[in-house]
Each structure stands twice: as structure tokens, then as C-alpha cells.
Amino acid sequence: MSSTFRLRLALALILALLPAALPAATDPSYTELRNARPDGRTVPVSGLVLERDVYRFQFDSGAFHFLKPVGGRTVGAVFVGHGSYRLSPASATERRQLALSSNADKGFETLSDQFDDLVLLFADDTAQEIELHAPVRTGAPDPHATEVYERYLKRQRKDFKINFHVRLLKDLLNSPRLMSGVFMALVEGKKYPPALAAVDPDGAEALGFYGRLGEEDTIFFVADTNRGGLWYECDRQAEVDRKRKSPEKRLTDALDYTVDTVVEKDADLAGTTTMRLKTLVPGVRVLPFLLTSTLRLKEGSFALETAGAEPAWKPVPFVQEADKEDANAAVVFPEPLPKGATVLLRLSYKGDKVLNDGGDKNYFVRSRESWYPNVGIFSDPALFDLTYHFPAGNSIVSVGKRVEERTEGNQIISHWKTDHPVQVAGFNYGQFKKIDKVDETSKIDVEVFTNPGTPNIIREINSAMSGEAIGDIGDPEGETGAPRQNLGKVNTGRLAEASLSDGLNSARLFTAYFGPLPQANVAITQQSDFAFGQSWPSLIFLPYISFLDGTQRQRLGMVLANDFVAEVGFHEFAHQWWGHLVGAETYRDQWLEEGFAEFSAALAVQLTQSWARYDRFWRERRKEILEKRPGNSMPPYEAGPITQGWRLFTLRTPSAGGLIYPKGGYVLHMLRMLMFDGGSKEPDTRFIAMMKDYTSTYGGKFASTADFQKVVERHMIPAMNASGDGKMDWFFKQWVYGTDVPRYVPDLKVDQVGDETRIHGTIRQEGVSKDFRALVPIYVEFAKNETARVGMLPLIGESTVPVEVKLKLPKKARKALINVHGEVLARD
């Protein structure tokens, strides 16, 4: 039986259970909007100013050419002439970010540029404001204005690759009388690359860029291969001034997904997803959703759920432009949906490039966030019912728990379900061998799946090593590059025992420190991607490098990767708590996931190895935070606070984009050490209580940095009340929202007077702002690697503080030290 025939048979079995296929017609409003061009209506302007939040557009001379109305409403215009724009950031942090992204000189205050044309798309009163400036003239469309619009439309498709028409259509159809909707200016200036300047009342995420941008309204997004990215994102100026965030704006709440997937020829994929959604606002017609552009929509239908009645399915038009262009997907319901309705939305699709064939039955799942249609991952948890059809001889390991698996001819049908809402679904695919064991303490069943074959990457490495030296994967400077012997065959099954051991230790330790998980199993799976790991709910993808033994890594010159291999399993397992049990609200809070997972890996290293290894872990993270690397204009910590997240990755600071990992982890390490009680048999009792409070309060929810701070404040000990107000503002302002890192200059002496030890001298704090506070621990050293903490010294700003301590010790002290365990992130 051919693979093609098997696919058709499997699809037929799926569709036989559903109503007859319902073709989706093209929505006329979208077609009208997409085809709109300048229609001959013009407004000459001279000195016109349009102000939208922090933007000021000045049109010195020229004319606006309105686009043909859509549904009787003007929603776009082309300007041709001469003008300028100015962006005045609403906060000091965003000013700093904008200066970095634009490569500005010192003293930067505003971003400004000039232009000869631009395109406006809007669902506000922009047309009326332009018309107030001068009377509208009518005539034949200006060919140059049309040419300008076509150029910008091509840029939307090829450079931005975001369908801004879908965003505009949402306002036009969901709120037809809205006059305060989205404003978008597509502009190419004289100094800066093409950009989108937008003010969106529905938040930056609604524009269709990517997830977790949050509800901040104003953005400046640059489309450029080298310098591009989100240069500016912030709440409106008035909200910043009032310290009030924009409210959350969502159209629907996903209740559950039923995903039926067919894998053909081990790589191509087809499927049908039925989403069950509850509408949160009245009048929903346009509903955007996420689906990788390589999966092409085939048909769509919807039904309103009515108790006791069979769904009455109706066709629903969908939007999906060409792959590799502005392919943001959406459906357009034929009539407005009422608020509170339960809607069934069924979409069928087919395509490729979801699975990457790594060779010898190794597969790498691409598009892990969008291999099925969804209305929000990492923002809208739901239940999942997942069925996979795939060729016999392979295996599926999925999010959830397998409830059934059977073979029909040459096909395997595997059925999985989640028993609690999760943020994202995923799977791993290939030939696997399995080992598993239940941790008796946490009761978590840890499974490890490895592939016995040899993926292409190993064949390529062996081929290269048999001839000439290859670049050192673990040593980017290439200092250890040299001809190396062949790796031979990799025995991943033998190393699966190590992954299982790490998994069991993780389950036991993290449950003890952070509380229980909602599920009773975690699957650790091998993937053929060499150095990339990821964690989905109950499913971990470990990079192939973690299944190489130490000798093989040494042959590759990957000595510097040993720590990564030793820690990556702990880090990814920790994401079952940080990211899946408790999610981060937006990208600004993502340090609560990645930093916490980094800290958890350090904790596992300490409790499975030693305190010395834990200390070394943080010394290495400190280097990542503080050391300026080649190609960077400054060390990562100077680029900005961790609340800027991945946006710290700029052309000037490429190494700062991952700061949330080391510095985010270091923040939690510092909190742990502030609460640490070295005199207790259980020195982490207070810290554990705080972390369990956090997971029990926000389990199954999304937490912000402010939410975590409130939890910390509930567990403060007196020493943490450094500002005397019962708040941790001082700590979070410095370490989470700030960039200062102090330098310490100790000058301490130890004298023995009878049976009394005297510690005296000074400690100086340098390189910080005047209100920077720190509690610096003072230690005595009895012998090498034998120390005891004897006090904490409060320091404020740049200051030198005298130390005078007299105490009785059990043995003679050799010298006095500070910050032995890196309790305070410091530059010395």
C-alpha cells in the first residue's frame, strides 16, 4: 500500500466522522480591503501635524491620496511629498532601548527622520483629521501614489511578512462604528530602515507579530535583516505617567482543542483541528489564529454550541496569504457572534516542513508552536484531545497521557489526552527505545525515549573529522580546533540511564522545593537537533549533544560544553514548573521562566554534587552577565534590565538577548541567600515556603514580575526590610528593573584577643546610584573551603562603611571575607 494511498485512507476515515466538506468562500470585506488602492480623492497639505501618543508626524508639503473606501469607510491613505516623524519615548528604559537599537550617540532623547512618502492604515479618525486641513479634491488616481502603495504592499509581504490588513479588518468588522481603533504608519525614512509605527488599543500582540508581547499599545518595528526588530514597545504616555497598565483585550477563551493529525511519508503532515471557544466580547467576526504558513488551510466551518442539539455546521471564510509572505491566518464569521457564546471552529490543513527528517528515523519537530491552529499559546490554557496517524515502525510521544494505541494495516493510531488545561501541545516522532521509572517521593513517572539510529548530523561530523578539523562547537573562538578522530556510532541508549537519573533527581528535588505538578508523568525525548532543548507540558526535547559521552565530546573539542550537557536536563525539567505550571504574563516577565529554570539547574547541581559546584555555577553565570564579548559594544548587564527580555538582542549587543537566563537566575539565587538560615537543620525552609506559595497561588495561571514581588513580600524576614517600609521595591528596582552592578573593595583584618575574635576595617561599595542598597555578607575563613557567615553589612550608594565586630568562634579564623557564595551580584 503506497504512502499516498495510506494518507488518503486515513483522511477518509477522519472525514467520514464529520459532516460533508464545506468549502470556504473568500470574505468580500477582506478582498475589498486587500484590493483597495488610491481612488483619486486627494487632500493637499502644508504643515499638517498628526500626533498619536509618542509619535509626531509632520507633513510639510504634498498630498494625501485616500484609498478606495471599504464598506463605505476610508481606512487608508498614501502620502507623497515631504515630511518627518519624531518618536519621544515614554520611559527612560525604552529611551535606552531605542538608543541601542538605532545605534544612537550619547545624549539620545528622541528618534527622528524625514520621508518623501508613507502609507497610513487606520480605524480611527485619521481621515476626518486630514479632511479638516483642506477640502478633498477628486479626479483620476495618481499613478505615483499607486506605485508607492504597491511598493509598501510588497514590503508587507516580503519584509514584514505580517498581514496588517487582517488587523485592520478586525476593527472594521468586529466594531463597525469604532473611531478609536488601530493606527499604523508604514514609513521609510532617510536615516533608518523601513518601519511600522503603530498605536494599537488592542495591544502590540494584536498586530500579528508574535506571542507574549502583552497589552502595551505603542510600537516601532523595523524591517531590516541586520538591524530589524522591536525597537520600541510601551504603554501610552498617559498610562506610564499614571503607572497604570493597559487592560487585557482578548476576543475568545479557548476551552479545548481536538487535533487529528496524519503523518505521511514520515515528514508531510495533514490534520483537522476543532477548537471550542467562548467569546469574551460581543460582535466577534474576525478571529486571527496561529498556524505555520507551510500548513495550507483547506476548509473551515463553525457552529454555535447549543445544549442538547447537534452542531449546525456552516462554512467560514478564512484568510491565509502565500507561504513565506504575510500569511497570518484568520477566519471571518459571516455574522457577529454574541458575547458568551460557545463556538466550535473546525479547520483542515495540509503541508510540509513541520517535521524535519534528521536521518535514520530521527526527526526534529519544527513549528512546535504552530503545527495546529490555536488562538494563543502561553496565554490561553486549554484541554487537548490529540490523535496521531503515522506509519507503523515509528512512535509518537505526545503532551498528555496516552489513552489508546492500535494498529490498522500499515498505520498506527495513537490517542492522547490532557487531564488539565495546558498552554501548548506538542509531540516527538521517530523510532524510540524507552526506559522509565517512578520516583517514589514525588510519584512522577519519568520516561526516557532515545533513538538507536545515527542521525545525519553524526554522519556529517564523522565525515568531516575523517578529513580535516571542524569548527569547535563548544569553543566559538576556535582555540582548540585540531584534527580529531572519528566519533563512531553513538550509543544513545546507554546514556539514557543518565538522563533517567537526572529526571528522577529533578522530580524529587523540584517537587520538594516548589510543590507538586498537576500531572504524574514527564517524558524526556531525544531529538536530532544538536544543541537545542525545549520543554513542553509533560514532554521534554533534549538536544542530541546531551546523548554524547564525555569522550565523544572531547573528540569534538567540546570541553566547554560539558557544563551545558550536565545542566540542560535539569533546566528543561524545571520548565515543568516554570513555564507550564506557572506561566509568565508577557515577554517582560519571561525571566520568571528562564531565570527560574536556570536557578533550578543550579540547585540540582548543588544537591546532586556539592556547594562548591553550586558556587562555580554562579561564577560562570556572573561571567555571562558581566563580561563584554567580541562583537558587543558593552557587557550584557549594561544593555538594559531583564524586563526588556529578548529585545536586548540588538546589533550593538547581540550577547545581551539571553540575559534573562543568567541574571534572572541570579536574582532568585540572591533571594534564596537572603532567606538562607545556615544555623538551621533545614536552611532553605523559608525559601521553600515562598516558592510553594508562588506555585500554589499562580499554578495554572500567568504571573507578572509584580505578582512575584508580592509573594516575596509575604515571606520577608527582617533583614530583607532594607528600606523599612515592608516592601521589596528596593530589591526589584535594582536587580529586575535596573542595571547597576556594584563593585566591592574590602579592607578587613582579623585579630585574636584571648578567646575573642575581632574583625575590623572597612568595606567600600562603588559604581552604583545613590539609593542602591545591598546587604553584604561577612565571613571568616578557618581553613581552605571552611567558612562561616558572621554578619550582614547594609550599604547604601557609593560609600565606605567601617566594620567592627567582636565575637567568640569555635576555632581560630585565618582571615575575613565577603560575598563568599556570590550572595550579591558584584563586579569584583
Side-chain angles (χ1 to χ4, degrees), residues 176 428 499 506 519 536 573 584 593 718 750 815 826:
N428 207 350
S499 293
S506 296
Q519 80 271 8
W536 262 202
F573 207 105
E593 296 178 355
V750 176
K815 57 183 176 181

Side-chain angles (χ1 to χ4, degrees), residues 722 730 734-735 742 744 765 772-776 793-797 824:
W730 66 273
Q734 293 170 184
W735 298 113
Y744 292 108
Q765 181 171 262
F772 186 95
R773 297 174 182 271
L775 296 171
V776 180
L793 184 68
L795 293 167
I796 303 176
V824 181

Side-chain angles (χ1 to χ4, degrees), residues 747-748 761-765 793-797 799-804:
D747 183 11
L748 299 176
T762 61
I763 298 176
R764 177 162 179 77
Q765 181 171 262
L793 184 68
L795 293 167
I796 303 176
S799 57
T800 302
V801 177
V803 176
E804 184 66 42

Side-chain angles (χ1 to χ4, degrees), residues 430-632:
Q431 281 190 350
F432 294 114
K433 288 186 176 180
K434 172 188 171 183
I435 60 172
D436 72 309
K437 187 175 182 180
V438 176
D439 172 56
E440 293 301 323
T441 303
S442 66
K443 306 303 180 185
I444 294 175
D445 182 10
V446 178
E447 305 164 303
V448 177
F449 295 84
T450 55
N451 184 288
T454 302
N456 294 337
I457 181 65
I458 298 301
R459 299 178 192 276
E460 292 166 7
I461 288 173
N462 281 336
S463 176
M465 289 177 67
S466 63
E468 56 186 28
I470 61 174
D472 182 15
I473 298 171
D475 178 12
E477 304 302 318
E479 295 174 359
T480 60
R484 303 175 181 108
Q485 55 187 308
N486 192 290
L487 283 181
K489 184 174 175 62
V490 177
N491 187 345
T492 56
R494 183 169 57 84
L495 294 170
E497 292 287 348
S499 293
L500 179 62
S501 177
D502 286 349
L504 293 168
N505 285 329
S506 296
R508 186 180 313 114
L509 172 61
F510 299 158
T511 299
Y513 267 73
F514 310 136
L517 290 176
Q519 80 271 8
N521 69 293
V522 176
I524 300 170
T525 66
Q526 169 203 322
Q527 67 177 4
S528 57
D529 189 272
F530 199 70
F532 176 70
Q534 197 170 45
S535 181
W536 262 202
S538 76
L539 174 62
I540 294 171
F541 304 89
L542 274 191
Y544 199 85
I545 185 179
S546 62
F547 294 94
L548 301 181
D549 62 33
T551 300
Q552 289 166 330
R553 292 197 301 272
Q554 187 175 27
R555 289 176 183 173
L556 282 171
M558 299 175 65
V559 176
L560 299 182
N562 288 343
D563 286 349
F564 170 79
V565 171
E567 298 155 9
V568 65
F570 295 133
H571 178 105
E572 299 303 341
F573 207 105
H575 275 307
Q576 297 302 308
W577 283 261
W578 317 127
H580 300 311
L581 176 58
V582 181
E585 192 170 90
T586 74
Y587 78 95
R588 293 191 183 276
D589 311 298
Q590 215 166 339
W591 72 277
L592 297 172
E593 296 178 355
E594 298 299 351
F596 280 32
E598 198 78 345
F599 168 83
S600 302
L603 189 66
V605 164
Q606 176 213 320
L607 296 179
T608 59
Q609 297 182 39
S610 66
W611 263 104
R613 182 65 184 80
Y614 178 82
D615 289 342
R616 186 165 78 83
F617 182 100
W618 294 116
R619 285 196 299 272
E620 293 301 316
R621 301 297 87 75
R622 179 175 164 273
K623 290 179 183 178
E624 293 177 25
I625 298 166
L626 301 177
E627 290 184 357
K628 178 182 173 182
R629 299 184 186 180
N632 290 260

